[in-house]
Amino acid sequence: MNYTLHQLDVFAKVARLQSVTKAAEALHLTQPAVSIQLKNFQDQFNIPLTEIISRRLYLTDFGREIAQAAEKILYEAHAINDRTLAHKGLLYGKLTLSVVSTGKYVMPYFLSGFMQAHEGIELVMDVTNREKVVDSLANNEVDFALVSILPKQFNLNYLDLMPNKLYLVGRGVNQAEHTDKDPRLLETLPLIYREAGSGTRSMMETFIADHQLVVRKRLELASNEAVKQALLAGLGYSIMPLIGIRNELLDNDLQIIPIRGLPLQTSWMLTWHKAKQLSPVAQAYLTYLQANKESTIQQWFDWYERF
């Protein structure tokens, strides 16, 4: 036997998710890379670990035994690393976050200084839509969640990080024909929506409903990045968070179209359950944010107030 910890990790993840594709996503690897590691691991045994039935992957009885053993080995390997760091007097452990998709433009800057100061911390950050972020809070799967609309169904603590501003954005309209900033302009434009479950979409739909507008939805896309590319291609207009379109605005590739009632504004908030017992790593991160939030904003987001 000559398997590696990496192969054990790949097999354990495949076994847990019963999918090579999902394991690749979770490990931030390509699907072919996971398939190769899985095959190399399998080749060291004379008994099959997995089987494919109706295009679905299943573990054999032997595979389940090996998966359980792999989990134990990986746990002990991590424990050895943690003990080593502890003897050095270093903070160690895992920090888990669930972040709404637009938060990918925010959260890394509030993490970088902390992660650089603590090499023993493993960061697991899931970037997804608001609905799935709320689910991760409901299931107590993460230390913290980053949202721009606070879920009301939970008893939460939260820390405001910075404002979240949303404007109507596109390749421009004839400003000579649009001088009164009337929200009814949206009725004349092809609008691009985020997918259902998105916080950005929720705020856009609330604005439209509050002004009793009848609008034309041209496209529905699954990420703010996809919406931005559609705007750049001239496919329509959308109400978008300012945080993700800095370069496009500064380069004049996109323009903010002034509308009465915009920008919509909330805050980027780091949230966690009030009853949650924070781990030493999570508590250390919260303390770091409280001490360094303002300097992080000044260092990375000084451009934000220009708009």
Side-chain angles (χ1 to χ4, degrees):
M1 294 293 175
N2 193 30
Y3 47 78
T4 65
L5 284 176
H6 180 56
Q7 289 172 345
L8 285 172
D9 191 28
V10 168
F11 177 67
K13 191 70 72 175
V14 170
R16 204 177 307 132
L17 299 175
Q18 295 191 8
S19 165
V20 171
T21 300
K22 291 179 180 178
E25 292 174 356
L27 293 165
H28 304 290
L29 298 171
T30 64
Q31 186 172 331
V34 169
S35 297
I36 290 169
Q37 292 300 321
L38 185 62
K39 181 181 183 302
N40 290 341
F41 186 65
Q42 170 67 81
D43 287 347
Q44 298 182 68
F45 301 91
N46 294 323
I47 305 172
L49 300 172
T50 63
E51 55 189 355
I52 304 296
I53 300 175
S54 299
R55 297 186 178 181
R56 287 192 59 187
L57 183 146
Y58 295 90
L59 295 180
T60 63
D61 289 341
F62 180 65
R64 278 191 286 273
E65 292 179 14
I66 296 301
Q68 291 173 1
E71 294 282 7
K72 292 177 182 177
I73 293 169
L74 290 167
Y75 175 83
E76 292 300 331
H78 288 306
I80 289 171
N81 186 54
D82 290 346
R83 292 187 191 105
T84 302
L85 293 168
H87 277 285
K88 292 180 178 179
L90 300 176
L91 189 66
Y92 66 89
K94 184 179 291 187
L95 179 65
T96 57
L97 298 101
S98 187
V99 176
V100 293
S101 57
T102 312
K104 67 178 177 286
Y105 300 110
V106 176
M107 202 67 235
Y109 299 99
F110 287 93
L111 282 162
S112 60
F114 181 74
M115 296 301 296
Q116 289 168 14
H118 302 289
E119 65 178 53
I121 293 176
E122 177 188 353
L123 173 65
V124 178
M125 186 171 75
D126 183 33
V127 179
T128 184
N129 68 24
R130 183 176 184 274
E131 188 175 301
K132 293 180 180 178
V133 170
V134 171
D135 285 344
S136 71
L137 275 174
N139 297 325
N140 194 30
E141 295 172 344
V142 293
D143 296 313
F144 301 108
L146 182 74
V147 296
S148 60
I149 304 172
L150 199 65
K152 296 180 180 179
Q153 62 268 48
F154 308 122
N155 194 16
L156 298 174
N157 285 320
Y158 66 92
L159 175 67
D160 278 335
L161 295 183
M162 61 180 289
N164 176 38
K165 297 187 283 190
L166 293 88
Y167 290 91
L168 178 64
V169 181
R171 291 289 294 270
V173 296
N174 189 334
Q175 297 295 330
E177 297 177 3
H178 174 57
T179 58
D180 59 359
K181 302 182 181 180
D182 192 332
R184 285 178 295 179
L185 174 69
L186 273 72
E187 296 184 323
T188 70
L189 301 176
L191 294 182
I192 301 174
Y193 278 58
R194 281 288 308 277
E195 83 286 5
S198 158
T200 298
R201 174 170 175 156
S202 174
M203 294 178 69
M204 179 172 166
E205 288 182 329
T206 298
F207 180 81
I208 290 169
D210 287 348
H211 290 82
Q212 300 180 329
L213 303 175
V214 180
V215 300
R216 176 163 54 104
K217 181 170 73 170
R218 186 170 193 182
L219 284 174
E220 181 176 309
L221 298 170
S223 71
N224 276 298
E225 192 62 32
V227 172
K228 181 169 70 176
Q229 295 304 318
L231 298 182
L232 290 168
L235 291 176
Y237 300 81
S238 191
I239 294 177
M240 286 197 70
L242 174 62
I243 195 70
I245 52 176
R246 171 194 176 185
N247 292 337
E248 289 73 18
L249 291 175
L250 294 178
D251 294 340
N252 205 36
D253 294 325
L254 293 175
Q255 295 83 44
I256 290 174
I257 301 163
I259 292 287
R260 200 162 54 248
L262 298 181
L264 304 176
Q265 185 159 322
T266 60
S267 293
W268 292 109
M269 293 169 282
L270 197 75
T271 67
W272 66 100
H273 282 283
K274 283 188 175 179
K276 187 173 183 62
Q277 299 296 311
L278 295 179
S279 69
V281 168
Q283 184 58 62
Y285 180 56
L286 188 59
T287 301
Y288 167 84
L289 279 181
Q290 290 166 337
N292 294 277
K293 180 181 74 170
E294 295 302 328
S295 61
T296 300
I297 293 172
Q298 291 172 10
Q299 180 180 0
W300 297 106
F301 300 103
D302 62 328
W303 62 271
Y304 203 68
E305 293 306 319
R306 301 182 203 171
F307 298 95

